[in-house]
Amino acid sequence: MAQTPKSKAPADEPPIDRKRDGQIVLVFQGGGALGAYQAGVYQALHEAGIEPDWVIGTSIGAINAALIAGNPPEKRLKNIREFWTRARHTPLTQIIGAAPFFGAQFANMATFASGVQGFFAPNPASWLGPLARVGPELAGHYTTKPLEQTLSGLIDFDQVNAGPVRLTVGAAHVQSGEMRYFDSRETPLTVKHVMASGALPPAFPPVRIDGELYWDGGILSNTPVEAVFDDNPRRNGLVFAVHMWAPNGPEPDSLWAVSARQKDLQYASRAASHIKRQKQIHKLRHIITELSAMLPDDVRTSNAAKSLSAYGCLTQMHVVRLLAPPLQGEDNLKDIDFSPEGIGRRWDAGYLDTTRVLAARPWVGDFDPLEGFILHEARAGDVMPDTVTSDS
């Protein structure tokens, strides 16, 4: 059930108030070329004078996140633009893509054949065949050496590890199947950590970190928002969760549509169930705190009561979920559409959607104090996002 807050702040107030809203967090999904939408989201925030305290990402989301954390504010947008310029289709592929009728499909086929400049290139070791034992770090159809060179030139990892913006990237541990979040607050991050987060098999080989192999975190959790909710200690915050895969969609009526819908469902990462679970958990934490305050003094101060009341808290998180719109004509290969047009359209969509959200400011107002997790759904073209404050 969607509800609006009880009151709104005056229109002349800034969209973000650090004292009121707490830490500003950006959470970026993985999605290949779809990540241009995230760049547009950041541009809108940057132009509004809003810089994040914490950025979290998986796959292409980890790359965008690292570009933000690994640069001072005045260089962030410039270097994000430079990355997406380098990641465009080659000039030849652009010419193919401009052809009428099936040009876009042929351009995607060309990407399979030749890779993307500044990102990935065919791996000669893969030509030996699927049974050839080439070693784990060569076990991929492509090499990501171009990406390593690109990121090393655009990201200052001293800035990542000592700067004001916290960076977290998610990767899948190959042997255990466990999700691992590498956090600049806990361990020094390098370009290898970012590349591991985007090492999607079987296209890209795994990346070895501290002797262990890691693949793209998206194969386990493509929406790494749980890193915020499970953080310790928890803090009040305004979380912009940027989603690029549609959890809802029409019935597929062709094999192409089936493949596209399957990708959407796979990489949406059960976002709806994650959100419902987190809303329930945070409400229970608030209830525990309220119940603890009702205990008699002699009970409340006992060791047993203190141990139980530690499970409660009164932090409040406003989560703004930005959902990238589908583009006309896109298909199941939309995540490798690195055409200038595709990148530009998705970038513009992220910028416009975020501009609308900042104007609406759905997180400003009076909300139920028992609610620790307040979701604001921002769909493409919304003037005022829905604010969901109940579990129904």
Side-chain angles (χ1 to χ4, degrees):
M1 179 180 178
Q3 301 176 2
T4 55
K6 297 176 183 177
S7 65
K8 299 292 292 181
D12 58 349
E13 284 192 10
I16 302 293
D17 182 327
R18 298 278 178 168
K19 184 176 181 180
R20 177 194 66 210
D21 301 323
Q23 66 176 344
I24 307 300
V25 185
L26 303 185
V27 179
F28 291 157
Q29 271 190 343
L34 307 183
Y37 181 86
Q38 299 167 349
V41 169
Y42 175 73
Q43 181 184 352
L45 294 171
H46 176 77
E47 291 182 358
I50 302 166
E51 299 295 341
D53 301 295
W54 186 9
V55 282
I56 305 167
T58 296
S59 197
I60 194 68
I63 291 173
N64 282 328
L67 287 163
I68 294 170
N71 284 285
E74 65 274 11
K75 291 180 63 177
R76 288 172 186 165
L77 191 56
K78 172 181 175 293
N79 280 4
I80 291 172
R81 286 191 185 280
E82 179 63 22
F83 169 78
W84 285 97
T85 297
R86 296 189 192 184
R88 289 178 179 177
H89 283 157
T90 63
L92 177 59
T93 305
Q94 292 180 36
I95 293 172
I96 295 172
F101 303 112
F102 298 105
Q105 287 80 2
F106 284 128
N108 288 335
M109 293 302 105
T111 298
F112 278 123
S114 61
V116 173
Q117 57 184 352
F119 203 144
F120 59 93
N123 176 19
S126 68
W127 301 344
L128 298 176
L131 299 181
R133 296 185 179 276
V134 295
E137 283 118 322
L138 293 177
H141 293 300
Y142 303 93
T143 174
T144 52
K145 286 293 183 182
L147 176 63
E148 182 173 9
Q149 294 172 359
T150 297
L151 296 183
S152 296
L154 296 177
I155 299 171
D156 180 351
F157 282 91
D158 289 336
Q159 173 87 17
V160 167
N161 295 310
V165 179
R166 179 181 175 187
L167 174 64
T168 303
V169 298
H173 187 253
V174 172
Q175 291 178 282
S176 70
E178 295 291 327
M179 189 71 177
R180 170 77 185 273
Y181 286 108
F182 295 102
D183 193 320
S184 64
R185 192 178 68 175
E186 299 171 357
T187 187
L189 301 187
T190 69
V191 69
K192 294 294 186 182
H193 295 88
V194 179
M195 292 179 63
S197 184
L200 182 65
F204 302 154
V207 176
R208 193 176 298 277
I209 298 172
D210 297 331
E212 303 290 326
L213 290 175
Y214 291 90
W215 271 328
D216 190 310
I219 65 177
L220 294 178
S221 180
N222 198 43
T223 309
V225 73
E226 67 264 21
V228 183
F229 306 139
D230 296 333
D231 194 33
N232 188 25
R234 286 177 291 277
R235 296 173 56 190
N236 292 336
L238 176 57
V239 181
F240 293 91
V242 186
H243 293 220
M244 298 173 301
W245 299 94
N248 301 305
E251 294 181 352
D253 57 3
S254 69
L255 287 177
W256 284 98
V258 167
S259 181
R261 188 71 192 124
Q262 180 266 332
K263 270 190 176 181
D264 275 336
L265 295 178
Q266 177 181 353
Y267 293 119
S269 287
R270 303 184 304 280
S273 60
H274 285 326
I275 288 169
K276 185 174 182 179
R277 170 181 168 270
Q278 290 297 335
K279 284 173 63 64
Q280 292 170 338
I281 290 173
H282 279 263
K283 191 165 189 174
L284 287 173
R285 285 172 176 153
H286 280 226
I287 290 172
I288 290 171
T289 300
E290 295 288 341
L291 289 174
S292 297
M294 297 178 184
L295 296 173
D297 289 344
D298 59 329
V299 176
R300 187 173 63 252
T301 57
S302 67
N303 289 334
K306 287 181 179 179
S307 177
L308 293 173
S309 64
Y311 287 94
C313 75
L314 288 175
T315 57
Q316 196 167 69
M317 297 183 191
H318 288 265
V319 179
V320 180
R321 188 162 75 143
L322 288 152
L323 183 58
L327 298 183
Q328 185 176 5
E330 69 182 14
D331 56 24
N332 64 313
L333 299 179
K334 59 187 177 181
D335 50 329
I336 61 168
D337 175 20
F338 287 94
S339 67
E341 180 187 15
I343 290 172
R345 291 168 67 194
R346 292 187 173 92
W347 188 306
D348 289 345
Y351 180 84
L352 291 173
D353 287 349
T354 307
T355 299
R356 293 187 186 102
V357 167
L358 292 177
R361 297 178 298 165
W363 52 86
V364 178
D366 296 326
F367 297 88
D368 184 345
L370 284 182
E371 295 288 347
F373 178 114
I374 301 170
L375 176 66
H376 309 281
E377 291 279 16
R379 292 174 294 273
D382 278 352
V383 175
M384 174 62 194
D386 292 332
T387 297
V388 183
T389 58
S390 68
D391 295 327
S392 58

